[in-house]
Amino acid sequence: MYHPARILSFDLDETLWPCREVIARAESALHGWLDRHYPRITAEFDVAAMRAVRVRMADDRPDLAADLTALRAAALHWHVERAGYPPEVTEAAMEVFLAERNRVTPFEEVPEVLERLGAHYPLVAVTNGNADISRTPLAGIFDLALSAADVGAQKPDPAMFRAVCRELGVPASNLLHVGDDPVRDVQAARDFGAQAVWVNRDGAPWPEELVEAHHELTSLHGLPALLLGKPA
């Protein structure tokens, strides 16, 4: 460690819980709900086709790039309007999606490790996505939660880390960030002047063109030993 960590920030998706299957399940649940209640939408668009509409909208609406909830709501509104349903359907549909999107299952070591570290450090949840930590099984563990929508930019833009340091009154050198993505987490944190831990659960090779993380772990199990000198 170049400086003692005073604040710990954590990426969410694929760092604290698996995400890909969560999104797939949430999109399937939303489509099923629409099929039961607003079938004119699903008669024309399956899950993949709805996803394609959202991708096209992301290209057309760069103003929504940092807010995945707003982007998804805008795409749903397009479907609702096209099918001739009232606009309030969009809000109800979004709640169906978000309820499933936040029904995550943390990796087995995560709750205990976070509870242990939380006794010694302020913990901050940071995400490019639209998970709401207060609606997940990890509610109540974090002292602060920030999303790209909150700060107006996605990692690797430094806006999120800058907001963390401003909110908690620490310099970048006293922030340690933990995440799974070499660019959006590790490189972004290092470029900001923070310390970075790469959680490499799948044993992936480190991209040769990037400066390595300060530490690499296969799970959060190693964090207490790294930070507190105590095994998990």
Side-chain angles (χ1 to χ4, degrees), residues 72-89:
R72 192 174 289 273
L76 276 171
H77 179 72
W78 182 89
H79 288 290
V80 167
E81 190 174 58
R82 177 185 176 89
Y85 292 118
E88 55 266 26
V89 171

Side-chain angles (χ1 to χ4, degrees), residues 109 112-113 116 219-226 229-232:
E109 85 282 3
E112 180 182 356
V113 169
R116 181 177 298 187
S219 72
L220 264 59
H221 275 302
L223 272 179
L226 178 65
K230 302 173 183 178

Side-chain angles (χ1 to χ4, degrees), residues 30-227:
L30 170 61
H31 195 271
W33 181 84
L34 291 171
D35 195 46
R36 291 190 298 275
H37 300 286
Y38 303 100
R40 291 199 298 273
I41 295 175
T42 54
E44 190 174 1
F45 296 91
D46 62 12
V47 172
M50 291 184 73
R51 188 179 301 122
V53 168
R54 193 170 64 257
V55 169
R56 289 197 300 272
M57 184 167 288
D59 291 337
D60 295 339
R61 294 286 306 276
D63 57 306
L64 299 178
D67 192 338
L68 296 187
T69 298
L71 172 62
R72 192 174 289 273
L76 276 171
H77 179 72
W78 182 89
H79 288 290
V80 167
E81 190 174 58
R82 177 185 176 89
Y85 292 118
E88 55 266 26
V89 171
T90 300
E91 184 177 353
M94 278 302 301
E95 181 50 38
V96 171
F97 173 82
L98 291 173
E100 284 295 322
R101 195 265 181 269
N102 287 298
R103 194 162 62 85
V104 299
T105 302
F107 293 111
E108 56 91 15
E109 85 282 3
V110 165
E112 180 182 356
V113 169
L114 291 179
E115 290 280 4
R116 181 177 298 187
L117 293 175
H120 300 272
Y121 299 94
L123 305 183
V124 183
V126 296
T127 182
N128 281 353
N130 53 9
D132 180 349
I133 199 73
S134 69
R135 298 179 65 174
T136 74
L138 301 179
I141 292 179
F142 288 88
D143 299 277
L144 176 67
L146 292 171
S147 70
D150 293 326
V151 302
Q154 290 191 332
K155 298 173 293 175
D157 188 285
M160 215 164 332
F161 298 128
R162 188 179 299 119
V164 170
C165 291
R166 183 177 62 248
E167 289 284 334
L168 297 179
V170 298
S173 59
N174 289 141
L175 172 66
L176 183 142
H177 178 65
V178 182
D180 71 292
D181 191 281
V183 174
R184 295 181 179 89
D185 291 307
V186 175
Q187 180 177 307
R190 291 199 62 135
D191 287 350
F192 179 65
Q195 299 167 72
V197 174
W198 183 35
V199 181
N200 182 16
R201 294 182 182 274
D202 299 324
W206 179 257
E208 292 183 0
E209 68 276 13
L210 300 180
V211 178
E212 292 183 355
H214 293 99
H215 301 277
E216 178 181 344
L217 300 173
T218 58
S219 72
L220 264 59
H221 275 302
L223 272 179
L226 178 65
L227 296 170

